Amino acid sequence: MSIASIGYLRIAATDTAAWMTFGTEVLGLMDARREDVAGAHFLRMDDHPFRFMLEPAETDGLLAAGLECRDRSVWLDLCERLRNAGHELEDGDAAAAARRCVTAFVTLQDPCGNTLELYYGRRLDYAPLISPTGIKRFITGDEYTGDMGFGHAVLPTPDMDTAATFYTELLGLGVSDELYPPMPPGAPETKILFMHADNPRQHSLALYNHPYPGDVVHIMVEVSSLDEVGRALDRAKAAGHTILASLGRHVNDNMCSFYVLAPGGVAVEYGYDGLLVDWDNYTPTVSTEGDHWGHEYNFPG
Ligand SMILES: [Fe+2]
């Protein structure tokens, strides 16, 4: 499997200060206290120099998802496979790689226009996480699971079949689950394809078969206890953020979570208890319900 994890996100923000306040005071992420020449700010979850890069922009949304390859040879093989299949890859220069704290990366678009950055050789600075809200740890991997990435992201891919072929057959992600959630009468069919990388997290990336504002359906971060989820929900409500979905538990990855809108509208799922899977003994499933309980949605407008 070529992709080890989803390592970082680049997020466009019309108000980076508001996003940083939300990231630190509500989500409990740590301000990496680094501002680059382009005015980006960085949030960290663990001993990686950052997991979210917040970049000043005219509109809010996802700029790029960083997908990690385990080493240079895996990365080179993947780049060659993509180029042979007709995809255009743009090499990142040294300054851009340094900004991302990686050894090298390429940028490409998936078939639906989502921007991906494929990289290897991520630098660690070994500084401990000091969460401003006292989060003990974000679940990003340990000595038993290896690095599991920052969490997961769901991307809009209106041409689901073409996108699914790209992600599974070219990038080599594995299918975890297909979800066909119950919809109101007359609503178009909704499908979400959940895919895993080479780590035990039940899904690292998922595809949604419709367009979505901000070019991302949601992103997910995971903590280690229900109490930390509950306290984050309290903080989000107290700060006046829109709660997009109440507390609930998903059927496929077992995540017990709520959803909150970040400043600018990107939805953030905040959960705990996500399923870890032994992929050698797993058969992909098809779900017709999204949740065991809860997750009552409240879409603004
Ligand atoms: Fe999710």
Side-chain angles (χ1 to χ4, degrees):
M1 191 172 281
S2 299
I3 305 297
S5 69
I6 180 166
Y8 65 79
L9 296 179
R10 291 176 50 215
I11 297 168
T14 52
D15 188 343
T16 50
W19 224 112
M20 289 298 287
T21 300
F22 168 79
T24 53
E25 295 181 8
V26 174
L27 304 183
L29 299 165
M30 179 179 173
D31 184 346
R33 301 210 175 278
R34 175 161 72 98
E35 181 177 358
D36 70 7
V37 289
H41 289 262
F42 300 82
L43 289 165
R44 57 188 299 162
M45 306 171 75
D46 51 19
D47 61 355
H48 290 218
F50 77 98
R51 291 293 195 172
F52 299 143
M53 183 191 297
L54 279 305
E55 304 188 46
E58 298 289 314
T59 56
D60 291 276
L62 185 66
L63 289 174
L67 303 179
E68 182 163 26
C69 295
R70 290 215 187 280
D71 59 34
R72 179 175 172 81
S73 70
V74 170
W75 180 75
L76 287 172
D77 285 349
L78 178 57
C79 291
E80 184 181 5
R81 194 158 72 235
L82 287 161
R83 286 193 168 106
N84 289 343
H87 290 275
E88 257 181 51
L89 275 57
E90 184 184 336
D91 289 307
D93 63 24
R99 184 183 192 218
R100 290 156 178 75
C101 305
V102 301
T103 301
F105 75 102
V106 294
T107 302
L108 76 158
Q109 313 284 315
D110 80 4
C112 297
N114 299 295
T115 302
L116 306 175
E117 297 181 353
L118 309 175
Y119 69 91
Y120 77 95
R122 187 166 191 149
R123 290 176 210 158
L124 303 177
D125 61 12
Y126 304 101
L129 174 79
I130 301 172
S131 164
T133 61
I135 302 294
K136 287 191 197 70
R137 58 185 282 256
F138 289 91
I139 304 301
T140 60
D142 56 31
E143 66 269 39
Y144 303 107
T145 64
D147 193 300
M148 301 198 298
F150 77 82
H152 67 238
V154 183
L155 303 179
T157 52
D159 186 352
M160 168 75 88
D161 290 343
T162 305
T165 300
F166 169 83
Y167 280 99
T168 58
E169 294 182 14
L170 274 175
L171 289 190
L173 296 175
V175 172
S176 305
D177 184 57
E178 286 174 43
L179 168 62
Y180 298 88
M183 301 300 288
E189 182 184 67
T190 289
K191 173 181 177 179
I192 305 176
L193 182 70
F194 297 90
M195 301 173 299
H196 59 272
D198 190 14
N199 73 71
R201 202 187 283 286
Q202 200 267 353
H203 59 273
S204 291
L205 205 56
L207 308 178
Y208 173 73
N209 69 333
H210 296 289
Y212 206 85
D215 297 326
V216 63
V217 181
H218 73 260
I219 63 179
M220 192 282 303
V221 299
E222 184 176 3
V223 289
S224 62
S225 75
L226 179 60
D227 287 337
E228 287 185 338
V229 174
R231 289 189 189 111
L233 179 55
D234 282 354
R235 292 193 299 271
K237 285 180 175 171
H241 295 288
T242 299
I243 305 302
L244 186 66
S246 64
L247 197 64
R249 189 184 286 277
H250 285 307
V251 294
N252 58 7
D253 67 352
N254 204 50
M255 193 70 70
C256 182
S257 57
F258 72 94
Y259 290 64
V260 57
L261 293 187
V266 170
V268 179
E269 179 182 8
Y270 199 94
Y272 95 112
D273 210 19
L275 189 67
L276 300 182
V277 178
D278 171 5
W279 298 116
D280 289 338
N281 293 294
Y282 182 80
T283 303
T285 50
V286 178
S287 299
T288 53
E289 292 286 344
D291 305 290
H292 287 299
W293 54 269
H295 284 148
E296 187 181 344
Y297 287 90
N298 168 37
F299 290 98

